[in-house]
Amino acid sequence: MLIAESPRNKSFRITMASVEKVSTERKANPAKSFITGGFGGICNVLSGHPLDTIKVRLQTMPRPAPGEQPLYKGTFDCAAKTIKNEGVRGLYKGMSAPLTGVAPIFAMCFAGYALGKRLQQRGEDARLTYSQIFVAGSFSGLFSTLIMAPGERIKVLLQTQQGQGGQRKYNGMIDCAAKLYKEGGLRSVFKGSCATMLRDLPANGLYFLVYEYIQDVVKAKSETGQINTASTIFAGGAAGMAYWILGMPADVLKSRLQSAPEGTYKHGVRSVFKDLIVKDGPLALYRGVTPIMIRAFPANAACFFGIELANNFFNVVAPQF
């Protein structure tokens, strides 16, 4: 893989040159990535769902009337009120949807990434440039959206149905999906798909780019040329934070669109964006950023740790896979 050296920064030039000396990698295997990605996704959800619930509730809380206090003052207030009103289990509401769908969601995402890499690799051991890694990561967003969008739609509705003092409408994932289909068919189930894609295409690209770059730097500085547990945890956590820095605005729009009653936003994500900017200002696009950033590092560190663990397992039991 060829990367131009920077004439302005000698240390950066040396680091990048070292990265290029790292041994070549085998051609990407979508089937293997499908399995390991699914296992990593389960690790992600189990470690990060409570903070995801808080994020969604902050994003979708009703706009306070003039002179009134907002429903939640912030991350910790939201967590405290949720636990007080619904118990600790309230933080885990909606987890059945991502936990049930997380294996195929992450599996499709990482398989899509591997396929995106494979389509660009010209030889069995060819390495990709960082721009090609970004493209492959973005390509993965197309795959994951097919499963991610309906799963996120159900998750958001389950997370918010009692968070605003309303009555419980859905009795779990299956009941929610059935009622959405009865009310509006597949269009209702897949509501927010464009917003999900708007988030995942660029954010997934950055996600994989950050992870691969950090691991390449670690390999270059390692005497053995191998990654270690600490680098995997750090690279995975950093990748997760990078994903949300870029993808947060689109995620806010998606959450508001998916939780709104039918007919609220006639032109989809465009109407949500216009309404949010006019009434709440640009900072509203990062509402819920605190819990998601607190969640991003450990959840994605757990995800990539699980993936590397699964990869090591396959290297032992099926080295040619």
Side-chain angles (χ1 to χ4, degrees), residues 16-309:
M16 294 304 294
S18 299
V19 169
E20 297 311 308
K21 295 178 182 178
V22 177
S23 59
T24 55
E25 61 183 17
R26 293 176 59 188
K27 201 165 186 178
N29 185 338
K32 182 179 180 181
S33 295
F34 184 89
I35 298 171
T36 59
F39 181 71
I42 293 173
C43 296
N44 179 291
V45 172
L46 291 176
S47 61
H49 191 79
L51 284 163
D52 183 73
T53 297
I54 295 171
K55 176 211 69 167
V56 170
R57 291 193 171 188
L58 288 173
Q59 289 177 342
T60 59
M61 65 179 175
R63 190 174 290 113
E68 289 186 358
Q69 292 293 321
L71 181 61
Y72 305 118
K73 296 178 181 179
T75 300
F76 297 105
D77 182 55
C78 180
K81 288 180 178 177
T82 298
I83 294 172
K84 180 181 178 180
N85 297 329
E86 305 168 53
V88 176
R89 292 182 63 183
L91 294 173
Y92 288 89
K93 282 190 173 179
M95 192 173 74
S96 58
L99 195 57
T100 302
V102 74
I105 287 172
F106 274 76
M108 289 292 284
C109 178
F110 279 84
Y113 174 56
L115 181 59
K117 290 172 66 178
R118 191 177 184 91
L119 291 173
Q120 298 178 88
Q121 288 175 316
R122 298 305 177 209
E124 186 62 31
D125 296 322
R127 289 182 62 83
L128 300 178
T129 65
Y130 290 118
S131 60
Q132 288 176 314
I133 287 173
F134 182 86
V135 170
S138 298
F139 185 72
S140 72
L142 291 173
F143 277 66
S144 60
T145 297
L146 295 174
I147 304 173
M148 179 81 77
E152 293 254 319
R153 165 83 155 138
I154 294 168
K155 173 181 72 71
V156 166
L157 289 173
L158 291 176
Q159 287 174 327
T160 59
Q161 65 175 338
Q162 288 180 281
Q164 299 173 11
Q167 295 297 316
R168 183 172 182 174
K169 182 179 179 181
Y170 307 110
N171 296 312
M173 178 185 68
I174 303 299
D175 181 59
C176 181
K179 286 179 178 177
L180 287 176
Y181 183 78
K182 184 178 180 180
E183 291 170 1
L186 287 176
R187 184 174 182 177
S188 178
V189 176
F190 279 84
K191 183 179 180 180
S193 295
C194 290
T196 303
M197 197 175 297
L198 184 66
R199 179 194 67 184
D200 285 350
L201 262 63
N204 277 21
L206 186 61
Y207 182 67
F208 287 107
L209 174 61
V210 169
Y211 179 80
E212 297 285 6
Y213 174 74
I214 293 175
Q215 292 289 51
D216 279 351
V217 171
V218 171
K219 287 179 185 178
K221 294 183 176 181
S222 171
E223 294 181 358
T224 62
Q226 300 296 318
I227 61 175
N228 53 55
T229 301
S231 71
T232 297
I233 290 173
F234 178 75
M241 296 183 75
Y243 173 96
W244 285 109
I245 289 172
L246 184 59
M248 192 71 188
D251 186 71
V252 172
L253 300 178
K254 178 195 70 66
S255 293
R256 295 190 75 89
L257 178 63
Q258 290 182 322
S259 64
E262 291 296 329
T264 304
Y265 300 111
K266 295 182 180 180
H267 300 291
V269 70
R270 291 177 298 164
S271 296
V272 182
F273 178 76
K274 183 178 179 180
D275 178 72
L276 199 66
I277 294 299
V278 170
K279 295 181 179 179
D280 294 333
L283 289 179
L285 291 171
Y286 278 89
R287 185 175 291 161
V289 70
T290 301
I292 205 61
M293 281 302 174
I294 295 173
R295 170 188 179 270
F297 193 96
N300 288 280
C303 173
F304 277 102
F305 178 74
I307 288 171
E308 294 299 345
L309 197 65

